[in-house]
């Protein structure tokens, strides 16, 4: 996920996370990425809402994703190995008591033996496929696995595990401290160059045997043994925790790419185009796309969605007007989703897409009236815009959908005009969908080079193509078309 750091799943999202999720219908895309897996949903949500601010970091992640798209089966197998390791450690027979050094040691040995098989498979995958992956992320991962998990490592690990089962007994050393109490207990390795008969025949020193029913003696001996193996037990437990941590991070970081694979497969089933967008640094405004579509909308439809071509390079303001239900809100949503997808290193829902990175995406969509009737729609809209104004900074993107349409034309247009002017002057790019003709026409007549005007296409018979074309705002939104479509012949009969 990153070149020089781990992905932080617990990182807090943006302050406007709830509004962004609601307005862009983000959960629809996240559910497609998760494919029913809550963990994948959480990873995808955190990754999508944690935008990268460096084009180089975005390209790094895109290259890793390109490898995943080329070899999805390999990536899914590595991910499943990580899942197996975590779930096996958590749900298997390893969850036994951990109170005494003996139980800690026993559990750690069992867990480590379980991990060894998974690590060996992981190493085999690295050896088999390392030449097939070209991204820096996978190259470094496979090189690390081949280097750290070499044959010598596994031989040493297996030898230690055999010793730690103490099938030949336990050899301890200690010294006498104050009051002739044992201190400095150390677990010793048993000699490996003696046969069983030689060890029996070469005993030296004193020995004793505990009677069968001497429970206190057994407990005392177990206590002595526990003190001797305590350090080893703790060290082994830390080792298993370290390996488990590796599998956990592998699962988290690959989880994002598995989510991308799930979404890509859903889109490919419908022959929807995708591309790797070109992230551009901050500077002169840049935004252009071919076939840009709303990924969330297409996930809910059987048919393919209509994509839009737009060139808004050098434009700080994009005003979107035209016929009702002509695709304006859909285009606005596709813009926000494409920006978020680009800045988290994903592919974009378009044939081609390029844009500046931004420091944050904000949305101001119309809402239902306050259910408590404590305030009207305009009060609520102004309150939310005030909150946005306190959080938004230059180099951010603001998407407005029918903002300030809850009051009359003149008042709504004046409020919106002042806000838009202040935002654009502050270096914020604004995409604004509106039916306020006074607002749109007033800005259009200023003939500013930094403003682009798009209009939802409508044929003379009222048919909507859901395409947005450059065009001057019109004084009508063709609401009569909707009236005729809903009421049909009854509408003509009343004329």
């Amino acid at each position: 996920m990153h070149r020089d750091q781990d992905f932080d799943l617990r990182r807090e999202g943006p302050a406007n996370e709830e509004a962004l999720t609601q307005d862009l219908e983000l959960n629809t895309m996240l559910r497609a990425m998760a494919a029913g897996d809550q963990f994948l949903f959480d990873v995808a949500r955190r990754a999508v809402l944690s935008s990268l601010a460096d084009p180089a970091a975005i390209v790094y992640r895109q290259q890793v994703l390109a490898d995943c798209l080329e070899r999805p089966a390999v990536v899914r197998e590595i991910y499943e190995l990580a899942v197996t390791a975590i779930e096996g450690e958590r749900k298997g027979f390893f969850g036994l008591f951990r109170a005494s050094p003996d139980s800690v040691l026993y559990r750690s040995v069992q867990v480590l033996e379980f991990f060894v098989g998974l690590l060996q498979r992981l190493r085999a995958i690295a050896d088999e496929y390392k030449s097939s992956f070209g991204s820096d992320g996978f190259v470094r991962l496979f090189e690390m696995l081949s280097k750290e998990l070499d044959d010598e490592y596994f031989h040493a690990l297996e030898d230690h595990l055999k010793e730690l089962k103490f099938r030949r007994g336990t050899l301890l050393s200690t010294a006498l401290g104050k009051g002739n109490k044992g201190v400095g207990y150390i677990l010793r390795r048993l000699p490996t160059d003696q046969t069983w008969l030689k060890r029996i025949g070469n005993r030296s020193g004193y020995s004793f045997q505990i009677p069968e029913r001497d429970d206190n003696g057994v407990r005392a001996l177990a206590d002595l043994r526990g003190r001797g193996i305590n350090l080893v037990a703790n060290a082994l437990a830390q080792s298993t925790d370290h390996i488990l941590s590796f599998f956990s991070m592998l699962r988290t970081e690959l989880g994002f790419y598995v989510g991308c694979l799930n979404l890509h497969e859903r889109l490919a089933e419908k022959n929807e185009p995708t591309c790797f967008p070109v992230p551009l640094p901050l500077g002169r405004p840049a935004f252009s796309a071919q076939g840009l579509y709303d990924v969330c909308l297409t996930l809910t439809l059987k048919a393919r969605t209509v994509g839009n071509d737009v060139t808004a390079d050098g434009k700080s303001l994009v005003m979107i007007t035209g016929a009702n239900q002509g695709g304006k809100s859909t285009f606005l949503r596709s813009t926000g989703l494409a920006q978020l997808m680009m800045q988290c290193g994903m592919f974009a829902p378009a044939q081609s897409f390029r844009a500046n990175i931004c420091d944050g995406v904000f949305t101001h969509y119309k809402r239902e009236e306050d259910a408590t009737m404590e305030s009207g729609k305009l009060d609520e809209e102004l309150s939310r815009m005030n909150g946005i104004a306190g959080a938004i900074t230059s180099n951010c993107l603001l998407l407005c959908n029918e903002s300030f349409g809850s009051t009359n034309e003149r008042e709504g247009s004046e409020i919106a005009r002042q806000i838009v002017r202040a935002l654009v002057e502050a270096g914020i790019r604004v995409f604004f969908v509106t039916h306020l003709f006074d607002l749109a026409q007033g800005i259009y007549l200023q003939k500013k080079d930094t403003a682009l005007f798009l209009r939802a296409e409508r044929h003379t018979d009222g048919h909507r193509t859901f395409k947005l074309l450059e065009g001057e705002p019109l004084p009508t939104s063709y609401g009569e078309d909707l009236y005729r479509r809903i009421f049909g012949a009854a509408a003509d009969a009343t004329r």
Side-chain angles (χ1 to χ4, degrees):
M1 293 284 283
H2 297 279
R3 187 182 297 274
D4 54 3
Q5 67 185 66
D6 293 333
F7 176 69
D8 185 5
L9 185 57
R10 292 172 294 183
R11 175 181 175 182
E12 291 188 6
N16 64 326
E17 179 176 342
E18 183 177 349
L20 203 60
T21 301
Q22 176 182 342
D23 294 336
L24 299 183
E25 299 181 11
L26 194 57
N27 283 339
T28 301
M29 185 182 78
L30 297 178
R31 284 193 291 268
M33 296 178 71
D37 188 320
Q38 184 61 44
F39 179 80
L40 289 181
F41 183 92
D42 294 338
V43 170
R45 182 181 183 85
R46 189 52 50 228
V48 170
L49 292 171
S50 301
S51 295
L52 299 172
D54 179 12
I58 294 173
V59 172
Y60 172 86
R61 200 175 286 180
Q62 288 178 349
Q63 291 172 346
V64 174
L65 179 54
D67 270 343
C68 295
L69 294 173
E70 285 292 325
R71 298 276 186 177
V74 178
V75 174
R76 290 185 184 278
E77 183 178 1
I78 298 174
Y79 177 77
E80 288 303 323
L81 282 174
V83 172
T84 299
I86 296 166
E87 293 185 349
E89 191 276 342
R90 182 184 305 158
K91 299 180 181 178
F93 62 92
F94 311 125
L96 301 174
F97 20 88
R98 303 175 63 114
S100 69
D102 263 320
S103 61
V104 171
L105 183 65
Y106 175 79
R107 180 185 186 278
S108 298
V109 169
Q110 297 296 307
V111 173
L112 202 52
E113 285 184 327
F114 173 66
F115 283 165
V116 166
L118 300 176
L119 291 172
Q120 288 174 331
R121 179 55 191 153
L122 198 56
R123 154 74 188 284
I125 292 173
D127 290 344
E128 182 177 358
Y129 293 104
K130 61 184 177 183
S131 61
S132 303
F133 287 73
S135 64
D136 288 347
F138 271 111
V139 167
R140 291 170 61 194
L141 174 63
F142 289 153
E143 286 181 349
M144 182 270 290
L145 292 175
S146 296
K147 180 180 178 181
E148 299 292 336
L149 304 180
D150 57 9
D151 293 339
E152 183 179 351
Y153 170 81
F154 285 115
H155 290 323
L157 194 56
E158 289 172 359
D159 288 342
H160 287 311
L161 288 174
K162 288 179 182 178
E163 285 292 322
L164 291 171
K165 290 181 180 179
F166 302 120
R167 288 171 179 166
R168 297 186 295 153
T170 307
L171 180 62
L172 307 176
S173 70
T174 186
L176 293 177
K178 291 182 179 181
N180 286 335
K181 290 184 177 180
V183 294
Y185 287 89
I186 299 176
L187 179 66
R188 301 292 184 179
R189 181 187 290 272
L190 286 165
T192 58
D193 58 348
Q194 290 186 347
T195 66
W196 180 79
L197 288 174
K198 286 183 178 180
R199 291 200 303 273
I200 294 296
N202 292 323
R203 284 185 176 178
S204 61
Y206 298 97
S207 65
F208 64 92
Q209 199 168 27
I210 299 176
E212 291 183 3
R213 298 185 178 182
D214 187 358
D215 294 338
N216 290 331
V218 171
R219 282 194 292 269
L221 187 61
D223 181 63
L224 289 175
R225 183 177 184 275
R227 294 183 188 183
I229 68 173
N230 185 54
L231 292 177
V232 173
N234 289 335
L236 195 61
Q238 290 175 12
S239 296
T240 57
D241 288 344
H242 177 73
I243 296 175
L244 179 62
S245 177
F246 164 75
F247 278 121
S248 297
M249 185 52 62
L250 187 64
R251 179 194 185 191
T252 298
E253 303 220 354
L254 280 183
F256 167 70
Y257 296 107
V258 170
C260 292
L261 290 176
N262 291 339
L263 177 61
H264 191 271
E265 289 172 1
R266 287 282 303 275
L267 297 177
E269 289 173 359
K270 297 185 63 177
N271 294 318
E272 292 284 22
T274 58
C275 68
F276 280 111
V278 179
L280 301 175
L282 298 174
R284 182 176 181 271
F287 184 95
S288 64
Q290 287 187 319
L292 178 65
Y293 62 92
D294 179 356
V295 66
C296 292
L297 178 61
T298 196
L299 289 170
T300 60
L301 300 177
K302 291 184 178 180
R304 290 179 57 185
T305 56
V306 176
N308 275 288
D309 301 339
V310 58
T311 301
D313 293 339
K315 310 298 183 181
S316 300
L317 173 63
V318 178
M319 295 293 296
I320 305 158
T321 62
N324 283 309
Q325 296 189 0
K328 302 185 300 298
S329 297
T330 298
F331 170 75
L332 191 68
R333 197 162 49 241
S334 70
T335 298
L337 288 168
Q339 186 76 35
L340 289 178
M341 293 171 74
M342 179 185 74
Q343 289 201 223
C344 74
M346 292 178 65
F347 48 79
Q351 296 169 352
S352 67
F353 181 71
R354 61 191 290 273
N356 303 105
I357 59 172
C358 66
D359 292 337
V361 178
F362 291 80
T363 56
H364 189 270
Y365 279 43
K366 61 181 178 181
R367 294 278 190 271
E368 295 300 323
E369 193 165 355
D370 183 2
T372 65
M373 300 303 292
E374 293 178 0
S375 63
K377 285 188 177 182
L378 181 59
D379 289 338
E380 191 274 337
E381 285 190 273
L382 290 171
S383 177
R384 277 192 293 119
M385 183 58 76
N386 183 57
I388 291 173
I392 200 167
T393 61
S394 60
N395 302 317
C396 283
L397 172 66
L398 175 63
L399 309 175
C400 294
N401 189 20
E402 303 290 356
S403 297
F404 310 114
S406 57
T407 184
N408 61 67
E409 171 93 6
R410 180 179 177 181
E411 186 178 62
S413 297
E414 183 59 27
I415 292 173
R417 188 162 30 243
Q418 292 186 30
I419 290 175
V420 167
R421 181 170 61 245
L423 292 171
V424 171
E425 289 177 354
I428 297 165
R429 170 174 283 193
V430 179
F431 281 66
F432 204 115
V433 170
T434 186
H435 287 298
L436 297 174
F437 177 70
D438 183 33
L439 168 67
Q441 184 70 3
I443 297 176
Y444 179 82
L445 293 176
Q446 295 176 12
K447 301 296 183 182
K448 291 186 176 181
D449 294 335
T450 56
L452 173 68
F453 289 82
L454 300 177
R455 191 173 70 211
E457 186 179 31
R458 171 192 177 274
H459 291 168
T460 54
D461 61 357
H463 174 68
R464 271 72 163 159
T465 65
F466 306 110
K467 286 280 190 179
L468 298 183
L469 306 175
E470 292 190 37
E472 178 181 357
L474 298 178
T476 177
S477 296
Y478 296 100
E480 186 177 346
D481 292 340
L482 302 182
Y483 179 73
R484 290 181 179 278
R485 191 184 71 188
I486 295 172
F487 294 100
D492 294 327
T494 60
R495 295 177 66 89

